[in-house]
Amino acid sequence: MKCLLQQKPAKLAKSNSTMLTSKDVSIACLSVVPPNRNLRTPHKSLKLAFLLFATKFYASRYDLTLHMNTELLSVVDENDCIIDTCARHIIHSTDLRHRAVHILVFNEQGQLFLQKRSMKKDLNGGLWDTSAAGHVDAGEDYDISAFREMEEELGISAHTLEPLFKLPPTADIGMEFIQVYRCIHNGPFNLAPDEIDEGDWFSVDEISGRISADDQRLTKTFKTIWREFEALAI
């Protein structure tokens, strides 16, 4: 089954010259997906089939040319096996499993570098998060994605990234399989202004205290990662 809203040249156009966005089409498609109680089986794959059928219906009915200038990500199953490729906003709006990487950058004094996510971000803007993070793009594996995110967000080329653990997808972490890495680097960093508003070093004790207090200035994903990091004592 292929995701219909994939990368195309420009915008969505309606035949009567009314402009529709990709979000408009997504909402329209979701509106025709019946709730689970009206289906014989509650499987999400069946709901996705309805969504994809509806997307094609609306595109045909309104003579839409689908133009997606957006990220393409791999959709994965419960075993983290790739089953499809789809646009990022569709994956998020339909809670499809996908992949991400998070890197914990420590300095030689044992402090952890955290980034404050840009207020321009559509998710968790202004919250403190792991040192570097991002989606695994379609065609990438976890390792390639992790090195790319380090360069894009922190402006550094890490010689070594140590894989620590992989979290299974849950609603709290956005239905992502998250591969977590550790890196030792003392900076300085060249922070990507569109991604990060600021960054700073924090001691392990300070971070643990803030997470124990459920500090709302930290992302849920970072809290989940740090709790697992502490539990494994690695």
Side-chain angles (χ1 to χ4, degrees), residues 48-169:
L48 178 59
F50 274 98
L51 172 61
L52 300 183
F53 170 79
T55 304
K56 186 174 182 179
F57 170 78
Y58 274 88
S60 173
R61 181 181 178 88
Y62 294 107
D63 191 27
L64 297 177
T65 302
L66 302 180
H67 304 273
M68 294 305 301
N69 210 3
T70 187
E71 289 179 88
L72 289 180
L73 309 178
S74 295
V75 180
V76 297
D77 63 16
E78 64 274 12
N79 298 312
D80 196 18
C81 296
I82 296 173
I83 58 175
D84 203 354
T85 300
C86 197
R88 174 183 180 272
H89 77 283
I90 293 294
I91 286 177
H92 283 177
S93 65
T94 53
D95 294 330
L96 296 176
R97 300 181 192 91
H98 54 294
R99 293 171 170 177
V101 294
H102 280 253
I103 303 99
L104 302 175
V105 179
F106 291 89
N107 61 22
E108 292 177 349
Q109 288 71 47
Q111 296 172 309
L112 176 66
F113 184 83
L114 297 183
Q115 62 162 275
K116 188 176 183 182
R117 292 170 61 86
S118 169
M119 292 299 294
K120 300 175 186 177
K121 303 288 285 185
D122 58 343
L123 295 174
N124 297 318
L127 299 185
W128 290 87
D129 203 359
T130 49
S131 312
H135 289 112
V136 177
D137 290 342
E140 287 185 325
D141 61 25
Y142 285 108
D143 291 349
I144 291 174
S145 177
F147 282 104
R148 174 179 56 77
E149 291 294 345
M150 291 281 286
E151 293 186 6
E152 290 180 357
E153 296 194 352
L154 303 182
I156 62 172
S157 297
H159 296 293
T160 303
L161 288 176
E162 177 190 0
L164 297 180
F165 53 86
K166 184 163 69 173
L167 294 175

Side-chain angles (χ1 to χ4, degrees), residues 144-199:
I144 291 174
S145 177
F147 282 104
R148 174 179 56 77
E149 291 294 345
M150 291 281 286
E151 293 186 6
E152 290 180 357
E153 296 194 352
L154 303 182
I156 62 172
S157 297
H159 296 293
T160 303
L161 288 176
E162 177 190 0
L164 297 180
F165 53 86
K166 184 163 69 173
L167 294 175
T170 65
D172 277 348
I173 59 174
M175 299 307 295
E176 295 175 340
F177 279 99
I178 297 178
Q179 178 63 57
V180 179
Y181 296 84
R182 174 166 51 194
C183 173
I184 306 298
H185 200 290
N186 293 319
F189 304 119
N190 183 19
L191 305 182
D194 290 339
E195 300 282 343
I196 303 171
D197 280 347
E198 60 178 295

Side-chain angles (χ1 to χ4, degrees), residues 4-24:
L4 301 178
L5 291 181
Q6 293 188 359
Q7 194 169 4
K8 303 285 180 181
K11 290 184 180 176
L12 294 166
K14 191 176 177 181
S15 56
N16 65 2
S17 77
T18 300
M19 297 305 297
L20 297 178
T21 67
S22 57
K23 184 176 181 181
D24 294 329

